[in-house]
């Protein structure tokens, strides 16, 4: 299976991975810009630029871009995060589809035009997106959590910006942002699919025609993310309450630590047989949704557990959540729990390894984190190599009570979250 990375003469990083048995090709253009790059005068501009990538280039209208993917049965999309903007597509691995997809994405990455009418229409689209987030309990409370744990960092700012921020952005500002961070900024391109498509020389040939970009560097943002430990109850208008128990975590991981953290997270909250799911939902029936996750950034990382429940059950949910998390060190997982978590992750990797979009996103994440690029079989070997001591070392570095933040987002009666 091909798995390689190369830096072209124009400084674009190309990551490629063959996906056995796949009949699709996925391509991702990862621009090293996000909401962390923005100051108070331009909040939300990276996200706005992402939207405008699809609104026309010097040679293609917005409809031309849509039709180019639709008529071959493929799809394109994009997203903005705190530290990345990604425009990507998945197309059938047939004929000239790879060339077509590359041509369109390359065009979007350096030849966008910003028609004032299209710009104003998209401003209204984004306004609706911001309002949708306000109507979504999980998204709006996750935004609030970020602002609480990183109050002095741009990492705590909403990726879309606020409605007031949105009104400040001008066509001129956006065009300048695009030129600096998209057309000539740092760029990683990930390509995954059948080997004969991934190895096709047209990939490098087409990307080599793009303008000179900035050389890739590992770090792009101010090192300003200081985790703030707090206890906070916030009123909401939602029917359900959202509870978060979050901890800071080291942001630079070895390969062994990364896979040990995956097993730790699976045991505690990221599976239907996890401790949090079994205790809060199965045994006590006080919630529908309970899970945990790691978030990784350049200079910060966080492990977080989340519970959604009725406001009347907040006090009990808080008690059970804290009990399960803070008792982990005194009640370490047995061999059966560890084996179940490892097999769960190996099964997930086996299924996901056939998904070109998953592989495309995984390549960028691992490269950006400084982790080795691994074949699926190597990932499974790494998961199976995790030992109990590795898991407990991760738990010891994560679960420190005085470092934790507890956030309750609820319409119910205020409770003591200390």
């Amino acid at each position: 299976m091909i798995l390689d990375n190369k830096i072209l003469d124009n400084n674009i990083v190309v990551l490629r991975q063959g996906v056995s048995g796949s009949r699709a090709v996925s391509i991702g253009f990862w621009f090293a810009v996000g909401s962390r790059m923005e100051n108070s005068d331009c909040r939300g501009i990276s996200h706005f630029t992402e939207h405008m990538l699809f609104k026309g280039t010097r040679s293609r209208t917005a409809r031309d871009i849509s039709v180019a993917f639709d008529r071959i049965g493929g799809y394109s999309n994009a997203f903005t995060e705190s530290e990345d903007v990604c425009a990507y597509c998945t197309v059938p691995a047939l004929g000239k589809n790879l060339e077509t997809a590359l041509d369109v994405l390359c065009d979007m990455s350096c030849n966008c035009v910003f028609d004032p009418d299209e710009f104003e229409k998209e401003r209204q689209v984004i306004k609706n997106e911001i309002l949708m987030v306000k109507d979504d309990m999980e998204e709006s409370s996750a935004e609030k959590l970020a602002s609480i744990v990183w109050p002095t960092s741009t990492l705590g700012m909403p990726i879309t910006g606020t409605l007031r921020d949105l009104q400040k952005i001008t066509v001129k500002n956006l065009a300048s942002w695009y030129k600096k961070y998209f057309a000539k900024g740092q760029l990683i391109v990930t390509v995954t699919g059948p080997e004969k498509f991934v190895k096709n020389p047209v990939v490098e040939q087409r990307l080599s025609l793009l303008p000179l970009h900035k050389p890739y560097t590992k770090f792009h943002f101010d090192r300003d993310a200081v985790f703030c430990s707090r206890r906070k109850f916030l009123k909401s208008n939602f029917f359900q309450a959202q509870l978060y128990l979050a901890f800071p975590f080291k942001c630079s991981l070895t390969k062994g630590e990364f896979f040990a953290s995956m097993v730790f997270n699976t045991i505690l909250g990221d599976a239907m047989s996890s401790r949090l799911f079994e205790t809060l939902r199965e045994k006590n029936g006080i919630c529908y949704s309970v899970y945990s996750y790691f978030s990784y950034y350049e200079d910060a990382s966080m492990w977080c557990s989340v519970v959604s429940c009725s406001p009347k059950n907040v006090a009990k949910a808080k008690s059970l959540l804290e009990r399960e998390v803070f008792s982990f060190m005194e009640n370490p997982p047995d061999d059966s729990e560890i084996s179940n978590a490892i097999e769960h992750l190996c099964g997930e990797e086996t299924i996901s390894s056939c998904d070109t979009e998953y592989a495309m996103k995984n390549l960028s994440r691992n490269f950006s984190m400084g982790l080795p690029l691994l074949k699926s079989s190597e990932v499974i070997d790494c998961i199976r190599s995790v030992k109990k001591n590795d898991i407990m070392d991760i738990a010891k570095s994560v679960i420190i009570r005085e470092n934790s933040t507890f956030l309750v987002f609820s319409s119910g009666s205020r409770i003591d979250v200390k």
Side-chain angles (χ1 to χ4, degrees), residues 17 113 120 158 229 268 364 414:
Q17 180 176 349
V113 293
E120 289 303 329
S229 301
L268 196 43
S364 176
R414 180 176 294 274

Side-chain angles (χ1 to χ4, degrees), residues 203-264:
V203 173
E204 291 184 25
Q205 291 169 4
R206 185 64 187 85
L207 293 173
S208 294
L209 297 177
L210 292 176
L212 182 69
H213 282 59
K214 289 184 178 179
Y216 179 81
T217 57
K218 183 177 180 181
F219 300 111
H220 311 92
F221 307 99
D222 292 338
R223 327 312 291 163
D224 63 353
V226 178
F227 191 96
C228 181
S229 301
R230 302 177 69 180
R231 299 291 183 273
K232 202 166 185 67
F233 181 98
L234 296 172
K235 293 293 288 185
S236 79
N237 296 317
F238 298 110
F239 291 110
Q240 289 276 290
Q242 196 86 342
L243 284 68
Y244 291 92
L245 178 57
F247 301 82
F249 186 51
K250 61 195 296 185
C251 58
S252 181
L253 299 177
T254 65
K255 179 179 68 174
E257 289 171 334
F258 177 74
F259 287 104
S261 70
M262 290 175 62
V263 179
F264 160 78

Side-chain angles (χ1 to χ4, degrees), residues 98-204:
L98 173 65
E99 289 91 327
T100 298
L102 273 171
D103 281 344
V104 177
L105 286 174
C106 285
D107 198 21
M108 293 163 59
S109 75
C110 64
N111 293 318
C112 278
V113 293
F114 303 102
D115 179 81
D117 290 339
E118 292 291 339
F119 176 85
E120 289 303 329
K121 283 190 289 186
E122 208 59 29
R123 195 199 301 270
Q124 295 306 308
V125 171
I126 296 171
K127 177 180 178 180
N128 280 280
E129 183 179 355
I130 292 172
L131 293 174
M132 283 178 62
V133 170
K134 290 182 178 294
D135 275 339
D136 186 299
M137 177 187 69
E138 191 165 348
E139 287 198 46
S140 59
S141 56
E143 276 192 357
K144 183 59 67 174
L145 174 69
S147 71
I148 287 172
V149 299
W150 290 299
T152 61
S153 170
T154 48
L155 197 55
M157 298 296 175
I159 290 169
T160 60
T162 64
L163 293 177
R164 181 175 295 180
D165 294 327
L166 185 63
Q167 289 304 122
K168 293 181 183 179
I169 300 173
T170 66
V171 174
K172 184 178 179 180
N173 295 151
L174 195 143
S176 176
W177 194 264
Y178 170 81
K179 181 179 180 180
K180 181 176 182 179
Y181 293 111
F182 290 76
K184 295 183 178 181
Q186 296 182 34
L187 175 62
I188 296 173
V189 176
T190 50
V191 185
T192 56
E195 289 208 5
K196 70 175 183 178
F197 280 81
V198 171
K199 293 165 65 175
N200 192 325
V202 75
V203 173
E204 291 184 25

Side-chain angles (χ1 to χ4, degrees), residues 21-120:
S22 173
R23 300 177 67 182
V25 177
S26 292
I27 307 169
F29 278 48
W30 300 81
F31 305 96
V33 63
S35 56
R36 289 198 71 179
M37 196 77 75
E38 302 163 0
N39 59 37
S40 58
D41 294 328
C42 61
R43 301 274 185 231
I45 197 169
S46 299
H47 176 253
F48 205 144
T49 308
E50 173 228 310
H51 276 244
M52 293 301 294
L53 294 177
F54 295 87
K55 305 309 290 184
T57 68
R58 295 171 193 160
S59 60
R60 289 180 172 90
T61 65
R63 178 168 173 77
D64 291 336
I65 293 171
S66 299
V67 169
F69 293 105
D70 286 350
R71 70 185 174 196
I72 59 177
Y75 62 87
S76 61
N77 208 337
F79 57 85
T80 301
E81 296 185 334
S82 296
E83 299 182 337
D84 288 298
V85 173
C86 177
Y88 67 96
C89 70
T90 297
V91 298
L94 297 169
K96 299 292 185 179
N97 289 349
L98 173 65
E99 289 91 327
T100 298
L102 273 171
D103 281 344
V104 177
L105 286 174
C106 285
D107 198 21
M108 293 163 59
S109 75
C110 64
N111 293 318
C112 278
V113 293
F114 303 102
D115 179 81
D117 290 339
E118 292 291 339
F119 176 85
E120 289 303 329

Side-chain angles (χ1 to χ4, degrees), residues 3 32 88 92 112 126 165 226 236 248 322 357 380 388 407 413:
L3 179 63
Y88 67 96
C112 278
I126 296 171
D165 294 327
V226 178
S236 79
E322 288 189 312
E357 185 177 320
I380 290 174
K388 184 173 183 176
L407 170 65
S413 300

